[in-house]
């Protein structure tokens, strides 16, 4: 969650450099280097960041399936009439799908092959990230 560029580069580069020297076959691989934040829904994850800006998630919700397929139909209609009229929808079906996906990032491969260990705990990461987001002017 908390990725200060300077701290991370000085933490991860020596680890990757050493691992590549010991095993050049690791070059070209992709690694996630998460901070071990517990798995949670997108909306649960966003709540403290919204609160840092004085915002909150809506308490009103709609069922996913009819909203998703309604958007798909609206996109199809917009595409059909696009030669005659430009219709701009407020959101797209792919955005709705993405925000409702369960994304999981594991640092296991980075730990096993590179010896990576996060330098910040999830609690400290959240604290530092929230300090940054509180300072942003939206």
């Amino acid at each position: 969650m908390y990725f200060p560029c300077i701290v991370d580069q000085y933490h991860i580069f020596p680890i990757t450099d050493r691992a590549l020297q010991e095993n050049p076959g690791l070059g070209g691989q992709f690694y996630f280097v998460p901070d071990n934040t517990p798995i949670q829904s997108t909306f649960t994850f966003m709540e403290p960041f919204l609160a840092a800006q004085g915002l909150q998630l809506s308490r009103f919700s709609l069922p996913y399936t009819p909203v998703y397929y309604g958007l798909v139909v609206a996109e199809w209609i917009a595409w059909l009439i696009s030669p005659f009229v430009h219709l701009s929808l407020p959101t797209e079906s792919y955005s709705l799908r993405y925000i409702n996906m369960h994304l999981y990032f594991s640092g296991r491969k980075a730990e096993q092959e590179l010896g990576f260990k996060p330098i910040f705990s999830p609690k400290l990461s959240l604290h530092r990230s929230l300090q940054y987001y509180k300072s942003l002017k939206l």
Side-chain angles (χ1 to χ4, degrees), residues 36-47:
N36 293 332
T37 296
I39 294 173
Q40 55 196 302
S41 77
T42 303
F43 299 105
T44 302
F45 177 82
M46 287 189 305
E47 281 184 307

Side-chain angles (χ1 to χ4, degrees), residues 17 45 49 51 66 77 79 99 103 109 126 138:
D17 187 46
F45 177 82
F49 296 98
I77 291 169
W79 177 78
I99 198 72
L103 302 173
K109 181 179 174 184
L126 180 61
L138 298 179

